[in-house]
Amino acid sequence: MDLPVLVCGAGIGGLTAALALARTRCRVVVLERADQLAEVGAGLQLSPNATHVLADLGLLEPVRALACEPEAIRIRSARDGSDLARVPLGATIKARHGAPYLVVHRGDLQRVLADAVHATPAIDLRLGTVLTEVDVGESSVSGRSPAGLRQVSGTGSALIGADGVRSFVRQSVLGGPPARFSGRTAYRATVPADLVPGALLRETGLWLGRNAHLVHYPVRSGKEFNIVALVEEDWNEDDWSAPASRPDLLARFAGWPSEARELLDLPDHWLKWALCAVDAGTPWASGRTALLGDAAHAMLPFAAQGAAMAIEDAAVLANCLAEKGKSVTDALLSYQSRRQARVARVQRTAAENARIYHLGWPVCLARDAVLKRKSPEALLARFDWIYGWRPPRLGNA
Ligand SMILES: Cc1cc2nc3c(=O)[nH]c(=O)nc-3n(C[C@H](O)[C@H](O)[C@H](O)COP(=O)(O)OP(=O)(O)OC[C@H]3O[C@@H](n4cnc5c(N)ncnc54)[C@H](O)[C@@H]3O)c2cc1C
């Protein structure tokens, strides 16, 4: 391809795609509306299917240096605090899938990716550039920013919409649907790790309650502790970082076991994020345009796979565009057909977890009994199809 690939969005998906494309000797222009890559979001769990891609890009060690490697996911009941199951991670999952399961602050992961982008001459990252107009021609795609902004955009061989859940490229270029609000909200906060009992810093905690659940794990090489409370409520604003009412949140968890309430009591400030979804079955590719990450398939975070799927997309997209003898249009269609069924299955799993995690009494008793009976091997085997995925070879163009 003579022209660079235009990538709209410098989130986890867009930056990973730029690096993967550069590996296949593509030039890339990344257009990002933010003036700087701020530390938005909080923690991310990165399972081996995603860390394999980071390893292929030579970024596993810098990410690992800022991340933590939990020993297990400890699942507990919010009715009485009892243990329901323990999914082994750490050395067990690394031996099983050949790459680690990490927990990392989104800002740290984005910074490692952005540093690698800055160090790659084939990638031109243009901050402060909102893509608002696109012309798709027979042999090129051009994108423009509105007049008055510091930068104008460019012309490329393909346009990749990695512009998140409320994607402009999905809706305005591909004519796709708006994101659907799920009726659930995530409250997110981080606190200094020394406020938290040491045992909690070695694992991911998951508490299951009626119409709500709680997830926590360490981030920032164990210096901070990430807490996410997911509740059912009717609030839907487009922001990674809307301030949330602490008293309202604490009131919602008033009947929970003291250990959970003590954690929720720690942060002075909470941010909230409306959980939206985009059906992975709607078209991701047409002509010279394709979608990636949340723009294509935003999902509920109940399988902790949204960013992981964006990272997988990036590796497959670069591999498809590098295939010799294929037109850009065919390469993008091939990318869509190699990704869509898997991502749709992950989305269904996340939606199913959303139902199961939030069951109320008495049906939760059946769920709890099933979880208590499962062996560690059975718990791990359930996720082999997700975590056992391997990226295609990059750089073989
Ligand atoms: C509570 C919660 C917990 C989560 N936990 C996990 C987890 O444990 N593991 C996991 O894998 N995933 C998790 N996720 C999902 C994960 O955060 C997302 O799937 C992932 O960040 C999506 O990345 P993205 O690059 O596709 O989109 P985004 O990160 O949203 O990036 C989109 C970028 O595009 C830019 N942009 C938008 N419009 C334009 C435009 N017109 N022009 C230029 N730039 C534009 C934006 O500024 C942004 O930088 C979680 C999500 C939530 C809400």
Side-chain angles (χ1 to χ4, degrees):
M1 287 179 292
D2 295 335
L3 294 168
V5 174
L6 300 181
V7 174
C8 178
I12 304 306
L15 292 173
T16 311
L19 291 164
L21 286 162
R23 273 297 181 99
T24 64
R25 294 194 221 104
C26 264
R27 283 180 304 124
V28 188
V29 175
V30 184
L31 312 170
E32 167 56 51
R33 73 175 164 197
D35 288 328
Q36 54 182 22
L37 299 180
E39 303 244 317
V40 289
L44 290 176
Q45 307 191 57
L46 288 181
S47 46
N49 46 319
T51 56
H52 265 294
V53 177
L54 297 177
D56 285 358
L57 293 172
L59 298 177
L60 184 55
E61 287 319 312
V63 173
R64 205 205 301 248
L66 301 168
C68 297
E69 222 170 313
E71 289 168 7
I73 301 175
R74 181 182 180 191
I75 308 177
R76 300 173 69 175
S77 160
R79 275 190 319 118
D80 54 10
S82 62
D83 278 301
L84 301 177
R86 195 175 166 79
V87 186
L89 300 177
T92 306
I93 199 141
K94 194 169 159 204
R96 194 175 183 101
H97 294 299
Y101 190 110
L102 301 178
V103 287
V104 63
H105 194 285
R106 181 182 178 278
D108 287 342
L109 175 60
Q110 194 180 30
R111 197 168 56 247
V112 169
L113 295 168
D115 287 349
V117 160
H118 289 309
T120 306
I123 306 175
D124 174 5
L125 170 59
R126 300 184 191 172
L127 298 175
T129 308
V130 190
L131 189 70
T132 52
E133 277 182 62
V134 175
D135 283 338
V136 185
E138 275 196 9
S139 55
S140 67
V141 181
S142 10
R144 269 185 303 279
S145 309
L149 277 187
R150 265 188 282 125
Q151 316 233 18
V152 286
S153 21
T155 302
S157 52
L159 171 68
I160 306 305
D163 49 345
V165 60
R166 306 194 196 237
S167 167
F168 160 78
V169 178
R170 180 183 65 244
Q171 295 176 80
S172 301
V173 185
L174 292 183
R180 193 171 25 82
F181 176 54
S182 69
R184 299 181 181 89
T185 304
Y187 288 71
R188 313 171 94 177
T190 49
V191 292
D194 52 16
L195 297 180
V196 172
L200 298 187
L201 299 177
R202 291 195 294 273
E203 59 195 20
T204 288
L206 169 61
W207 299 71
L208 307 183
R210 186 170 164 275
N211 293 339
H213 78 281
L214 178 65
V215 181
H216 50 76
Y217 47 82
V219 289
R220 304 234 132 115
S221 344
K223 294 192 198 71
E224 290 186 18
F225 191 70
N226 175 61
I227 310 172
V228 188
L230 294 106
V231 302
E232 307 199 353
E233 72 175 14
D234 197 12
W235 174 85
N236 182 13
E237 279 176 28
D238 175 16
D239 203 333
W240 269 105
S241 49
S245 156
R246 183 174 182 274
D248 284 358
L249 177 68
L250 295 180
R252 296 196 66 132
F253 287 82
W256 280 46
S258 59
E259 207 183 320
R261 280 187 287 111
E262 281 159 20
L263 283 180
L264 291 164
D265 208 29
L266 290 175
D268 290 330
H269 304 288
W270 287 86
L271 299 175
K272 63 184 198 172
W273 172 246
L275 299 177
C276 296
V278 175
D279 180 359
T282 56
W284 301 9
S286 172
R288 292 178 169 268
T289 305
L291 304 173
L292 176 147
D294 276 10
H297 50 64
M299 61 184 73
L300 296 173
F302 293 63
Q305 284 295 314
M309 288 300 117
I311 290 170
E312 287 189 7
D313 288 348
V316 175
L317 173 78
N319 184 267
C320 288
L321 280 170
E323 272 175 36
K324 288 201 166 44
K326 261 202 177 138
S327 69
V328 170
T329 302
D330 286 348
L332 296 181
L333 286 174
S334 157
Y335 154 71
Q336 169 178 290
S337 67
R338 279 168 64 181
R339 293 296 298 151
Q340 241 176 354
R342 171 172 170 80
V343 178
R345 187 175 171 201
V346 173
Q347 245 185 5
R348 286 196 298 275
T349 303
E352 178 67 356
N353 284 351
R355 193 183 62 77
I356 293 169
Y357 283 10
H358 289 190
L359 288 174
W361 193 87
V363 258
C364 65
L365 298 178
R367 173 201 65 202
D368 295 355
V370 170
L371 274 173
K372 279 184 182 163
R373 269 204 312 272
K374 284 215 187 289
S375 66
E377 169 56 31
L379 290 163
L380 276 175
R382 271 193 68 215
F383 296 107
D384 279 348
W385 69 273
I386 299 182
Y387 301 164
W389 181 89
R390 293 287 177 279
R393 260 189 70 219
L394 288 175
N396 58 348

